[in-house]
């Protein structure tokens, strides 16, 4: 029997940015391991080959990516590492500039150049591994990327420049991938893409997300299916019917709205109005009981007047979202927004972002107080200090609320579900006791 001889090289893959980038890193790691590389992820493990999977979304993300590249370029100059490769969105968008400014990097690759990167490492691209992945997340949940790219034209967004037009993954491949993930112990699938509700329009000439959800619900072992990055315009309402009927589909809707003043929505090219957004959320809450709605807003878009910002504040107060994230507008070249004057001062942007989060903090506190005494199903992600920490179906990983149970009085296994009685609540955290595992 041929013994597997690991190559002497050790690779460390550094992932920056979003969950879609994380999936790309997982695919890369899987391919490298299949070529007998020892691979680590975001580790302090000493490695002689570093691969940085970058983010190029907005200024702060770009800065983080460039700082990380410089950090390892200096390590290479000091002889601490041998090879440095850069891939991902920043590399896709600024390859020529980066090659000029940071020549210590051995090679830069775009977002669709995995085979090229592997070839550079004398590794073969193993087609038979499509649909299989080494997870970098805790083993009980995984991201399922159902499409690549985006065909929308939001004025502030550079993603289509880095990821191209929307390309749906064939449903049979996604089901095969989900079955593989279930076979390695995944219980929660987080469906992601740039624009989830567009799924199928290119491949099947129809919005096929409802059909995909029903098929994924049939997979044994998968207990929760969560939807991320939906889009309000032409939202396929049948998704909500499936969510209401299928217990495996979390009553959770991540629906970035970006703004609520019609003038700003129009300048952002969001193809929707405040009233349409309001009606969609009211309809969703009617069809799906106890639905948790997560959204994100951008403040400081060119021309955002005090009055328009006030309209956004009023909307956040009125709609009482369960989860809210806020970004400060970043003036991204080559987007249509770049043609507008970035006239909202940085301190005003920061002030407005804080204002929205202040409003939301009070809403979140009220909502959480109402959960005291309720019994919720919780999936436990980790133990930290004296607490086991998990999430309800209303909370996604890293971005939403958490449930904390005291480890001295309760015992749960990481990756297990347990019923928890909520005994106390803060703005963003719930406390409770396990009533049965
Ligand atoms: S939907 Fe809009 S914001 Fe989202 S990735 Fe596409 S263009 Fe960007």
């Amino acid at each position: 029997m041929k013994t597997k001889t690991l190559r002497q090289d050790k690779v460390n893959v550094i992932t920056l940015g979003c969950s879609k980038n994380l999936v790309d890193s997982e695919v890369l790691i899987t391919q490298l391991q299949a070529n007998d590389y020892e691979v680590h992820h975001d580790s302090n493990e000493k490695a002689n080959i570093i691969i940085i999977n970058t983010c190029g979304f907005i200024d702060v993300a770009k800065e983080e990516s460039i700082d990380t590249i410089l950090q390892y370029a200096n390590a290479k100059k000091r002889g601490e590492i041998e090879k440095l490769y850069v891939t991902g969105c920043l590399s896709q968008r600024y390859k020529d500039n980066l090659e000029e400014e940071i020549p210590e990097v051995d090679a830069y690759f775009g977002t669709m150049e995995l085979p090229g990167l592997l070839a550079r490492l004398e590794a073969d691209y193993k087609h038979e591994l499509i649909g299989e992945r080494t997870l970098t997340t805790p083993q009980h949940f995984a991201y399922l990327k159902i499409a690549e790219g985006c065909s929308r034209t939001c004025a502030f967004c550079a993603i289509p420049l880095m990821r191209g037009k929307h390309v749906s993954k064939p449903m049979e491949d996604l089901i095969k991938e989900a079955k593989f993930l279930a076979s390695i112990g995944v219980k929660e699938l987080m469906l992601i893409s740039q624009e989830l509700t567009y799924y199928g329009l290119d491949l099947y000439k129809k919005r096929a997300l409802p059909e995909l959800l029903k098929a994924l619900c049939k997979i044994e072992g998968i207990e929760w299916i969560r939807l991320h990055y939906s889009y309000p315009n032409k939202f396929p309402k049948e998704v909500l019917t499936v969510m209401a009927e299928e217990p495996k589909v979390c009553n959770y809707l991540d629906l970035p709205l970006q703004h609520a003043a019609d003038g700003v929505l129009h300048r952002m090219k969001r193809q929707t109005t405040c009233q349409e957004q309001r009606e969609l959320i009211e309809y969703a809450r009617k069809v799906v009981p106890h639905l948790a709605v997560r959204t994100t807003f951008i403040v400081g878009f060119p021309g955002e007047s005090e009055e328009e910002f006030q309209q956004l504040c009023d909307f956040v107060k009125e709609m009482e979202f369960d989860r809210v994230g806020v970004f400060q507008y970043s003036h991204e070249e080559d987007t249509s927004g770049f043609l507008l004057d970035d006239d909202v001062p940085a301190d005003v942007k920061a002030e407005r972002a804080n204002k929205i989060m202040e409003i939301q903090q009070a809403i979140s506190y009220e909502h959480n107080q109402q959960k005291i005494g309720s019994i919720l199903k919780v999936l436990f992600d980790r133990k930290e200090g004296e607490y086991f920490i998990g999430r309800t179906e209303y909370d996604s990983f890293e971005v939403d609320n958490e449930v904390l149970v005291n480890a001295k009085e309760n015992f749960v296994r990481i990756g297990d579900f347990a019923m928890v009685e909520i005994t106390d609540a803060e703005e963003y955290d719930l406390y409770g006791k396990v009533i049965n595992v």
Side-chain angles (χ1 to χ4, degrees), residues 248-284:
K248 287 189 178 183
V249 181
C250 297
N251 291 355
Y252 178 90
L253 182 62
D254 173 21
L255 186 73
L257 295 175
Q258 312 301 5
H259 215 281
D262 285 344
V264 180
L265 287 168
H266 179 70
R267 295 197 302 279
M268 283 180 166
K269 299 186 178 169
R270 291 289 290 174
Q271 303 161 315
T272 185
T273 65
C274 181
Q275 185 51 24
E276 285 164 357
Q277 296 184 156
R278 180 183 287 113
E279 285 165 7
L280 174 58
I281 292 159
E282 286 168 354
Y283 176 81

Side-chain angles (χ1 to χ4, degrees), residues 251-356:
N251 291 355
Y252 178 90
L253 182 62
D254 173 21
L255 186 73
L257 295 175
Q258 312 301 5
H259 215 281
D262 285 344
V264 180
L265 287 168
H266 179 70
R267 295 197 302 279
M268 283 180 166
K269 299 186 178 169
R270 291 289 290 174
Q271 303 161 315
T272 185
T273 65
C274 181
Q275 185 51 24
E276 285 164 357
Q277 296 184 156
R278 180 183 287 113
E279 285 165 7
L280 174 58
I281 292 159
E282 286 168 354
Y283 176 81
R285 284 173 170 164
K286 203 172 66 211
V287 174
V288 184
H290 313 299
L291 175 69
V293 182
R294 150 168 273 283
T295 192
T296 49
F297 295 111
I298 294 176
V299 295
F301 188 77
E304 184 189 57
S305 64
E306 192 46 51
E307 192 209 341
E308 287 172 327
F309 176 64
Q310 200 45 55
Q311 285 173 25
L312 176 58
C313 293
D314 297 344
F315 185 72
V316 173
K317 284 181 196 146
E318 174 201 342
M319 300 309 290
E320 291 206 16
F321 295 100
D322 303 274
R323 321 273 178 258
V324 168
V326 178
F327 289 97
Q328 296 176 37
Y329 172 69
S330 175
H331 206 42
E332 294 299 317
E333 67 254 355
D334 305 323
T335 64
S336 60
F338 199 69
L339 306 172
L340 304 171
D341 183 11
D342 183 16
D343 55 1
V344 179
D347 59 341
V348 175
K349 285 178 184 169
E351 239 171 68
R352 289 178 178 176
N354 292 340
K355 178 75 189 155
I356 296 292

Side-chain angles (χ1 to χ4, degrees), residues 20 57 149-160 193-196 229-231 256 258 268-270 298:
K20 285 142 275 187
F57 183 38
C150 185
S151 298
R152 298 272 181 182
T153 56
C154 304
F156 51 81
C157 185
I159 292 172
S193 75
Q194 306 301 349
E195 211 273 61
L196 213 69
Y229 309 108
S230 295
Y231 195 90
Q258 312 301 5
M268 283 180 166
K269 299 186 178 169
R270 291 289 290 174
I298 294 176

Side-chain angles (χ1 to χ4, degrees), residues 163-175:
R163 294 274 168 176
K165 291 267 183 231
H166 180 103
V167 179
S168 301
K169 280 191 186 173
M171 210 172 287
E172 56 277 13
D173 292 359
L174 289 169
I175 292 161

Side-chain angles (χ1 to χ4, degrees), residues 358-383:
E358 234 174 72
I359 295 169
Q360 184 56 27
Q361 194 170 354
I363 292 168
S364 187
Y365 180 78
E366 276 319 308
H367 283 193
N368 280 352
Q369 289 301 308
Q370 286 154 25
K371 291 204 172 82
I372 296 177
S374 67
I375 293 170
L376 298 172
K377 182 178 180 180
V378 173
L379 177 57
F380 283 90
D381 292 319
R382 67 184 193 283
K383 182 165 184 294

